[in-house]
Amino acid sequence: MSRGRSLVLVFVWSLVFLWIGVIHCMWEQIGMGSFVGIPNLFDRLCIMFVGVAGKQNAVFAAFGILGLLVSHAFARHGMHGAENGKHSIFLCMLFAVSEEVYQLLVPGHGFSLVELTAYGITAMAGVFLYSLMTFLGRQIHNKNQVDCSDEAQEHFR
């Protein structure tokens, strides 16, 4: 593996784990009502995201973005199609389950199968969105290549 490819993979997975940190901070923000201590980078990103998405939709939207980021990271590893989707959804659901278990430790909250299902659906929507974007990107790229080759053939006649 080349050094450039390694750096890209480190960057892509760093974005995934940064976003996981933001989602975890959102749990803290929404569950406890405020942050503990001085806001750090995760807290600032969380405050900004909750402000844009709204408190009710923030965690659901965040899981959709997580699905998109994880799917992209696996695609950079060479996984495409159903294999990419399975691994991406599994990793997102693993994180969702860990967050629901964390909710057991927060007073007044508990494990919710309904929320877990909702997070899974939004993560699947993110994975589907990534698949759709790559499919449409390939279609546009292939169309441009065909158009260019037609122009080149006409030029040499």
Side-chain angles (χ1 to χ4, degrees), residues 10-133:
V10 166
F11 176 72
V12 168
W13 282 107
S14 295
L15 285 177
V16 168
F17 289 113
L18 174 69
W19 196 249
I20 285 174
V22 168
I23 293 173
H24 184 73
C25 285
M26 271 191 273
W27 282 109
E28 189 176 304
Q29 164 72 22
I30 293 168
M32 296 180 188
S34 64
F35 294 108
V36 179
I38 300 170
N40 59 23
L41 173 66
F42 293 127
D43 297 339
R44 292 176 197 277
L45 286 172
C46 175
I47 291 167
M48 183 178 71
F49 187 74
V50 169
V52 170
K55 202 171 193 176
Q56 295 293 328
N57 302 322
V59 177
F60 297 110
F63 269 93
I65 293 169
L66 179 64
L68 194 133
L69 289 172
V70 170
S71 190
H72 177 67
F74 278 128
R76 298 302 269 174
H77 276 286
M79 282 188 208
H80 301 285
E83 183 183 21
N84 181 323
K86 289 178 201 172
H87 284 85
S88 299
I89 292 168
F90 175 76
L91 191 62
C92 290
M93 288 306 295
L94 186 66
F95 175 67
V97 168
S98 73
E99 285 297 308
E100 283 299 312
V101 169
Y102 171 73
Q103 288 295 310
L104 293 172
L105 304 174
V106 177
H109 290 83
F111 190 91
S112 171
L113 211 54
V114 173
E115 285 183 3
L116 188 62
T117 304
Y119 301 147
I121 290 170
T122 55
M124 282 189 247
V127 170
F128 176 76
L129 180 64
Y130 179 78
S131 299
L132 183 65
M133 289 184 335

